[in-house]
Amino acid sequence: MDPSKHERLGQHIKRVEQELTSAKHAVLRPFKINVPQYSVLYALLQEPGLSGSVLARRCMVTPQTMSSVLSTLEGRGLVERKPHPIHSHILEARLTRTGRSLLQRADAAVEEVERALTDHFEPDEAERFLEQLSRCSKALATLPGAPAKPSSS
């Protein structure tokens, strides 16, 4: 395939990612959170007690951006940060009761967006597509400079 005549695979993936992010932003607006904030809340639901640096890697943002996101969420009472019991210089983040409640409602809205996307595929197509996306991730993980797999420190 001649790249001068056809769009590259990466361009298609980027466009869909931007459209998905835009749709999520729209449904999250009533909850007064954005997609990065939602991602942090969701990550903390899945794995409470993550540090800012681990959250930054998981959410694919810089540590500086994560610090800002966590400060905003903490200021709104959605997240609390406390020193790690052994490594007191590391702050562990956890959802508050308010954060968990907000996330539950916001996640239902995000699930609707994702369901609308999934509904455009037959079940076997969706499964194959997920396998293909996984192959894309594996291929990119082998390239020089690829990000390291997330750790839970």
Side-chain angles (χ1 to χ4, degrees):
M1 174 165 41
D2 181 358
S4 64
K5 294 183 182 178
H6 302 285
E7 289 187 74
R8 295 180 183 160
L9 180 59
Q11 290 173 315
H12 286 282
I13 291 170
K14 180 64 176 174
R15 183 179 311 112
V16 171
E17 188 259 343
Q18 288 174 327
E19 290 167 350
L20 178 59
T21 298
S22 180
K24 286 181 179 183
H25 270 298
V27 300
L28 291 171
R29 196 170 293 120
F31 303 101
K32 295 183 172 63
I33 60 172
N34 58 35
V35 174
Q37 292 166 344
Y38 166 81
S39 297
V40 169
L41 295 173
Y42 192 80
L44 291 174
L45 177 70
Q46 300 297 312
E47 199 170 344
L50 295 176
S51 69
S53 62
V54 172
L55 281 166
R57 288 191 296 274
R58 296 261 167 90
C59 297
M60 293 186 245
V61 298
T62 66
Q64 295 82 0
T65 297
M66 183 53 61
S67 178
S68 176
V69 169
L70 284 170
S71 291
T72 299
L73 293 173
E74 190 173 29
R76 289 191 52 201
L78 303 175
V79 166
E80 63 182 2
R81 293 187 282 179
K82 294 184 178 173
H84 185 279
I86 297 171
H87 308 287
S88 60
H89 64 285
I90 296 174
L91 295 177
E92 295 181 323
R94 297 182 189 282
L95 292 175
T96 62
R97 182 175 288 138
T98 303
R100 188 176 302 275
S101 174
L102 179 97
L103 176 61
Q104 185 177 16
R105 292 178 285 127
D107 191 46
V110 169
E111 280 183 338
E112 285 184 38
V113 169
E114 292 178 358
R115 191 174 13 264
L117 182 61
T118 303
D119 285 350
H120 279 77
F121 293 91
E122 296 297 322
D124 62 318
E125 288 178 318
E127 189 174 317
R128 275 197 318 274
F129 185 55
L130 288 173
E131 289 170 5
Q132 292 165 344
L133 288 173
S134 178
R135 284 174 36 204
C136 288
S137 291
K138 287 177 184 172
L140 293 171
T142 65
L143 296 176
K149 290 281 186 194
S151 66
S152 57
S153 58

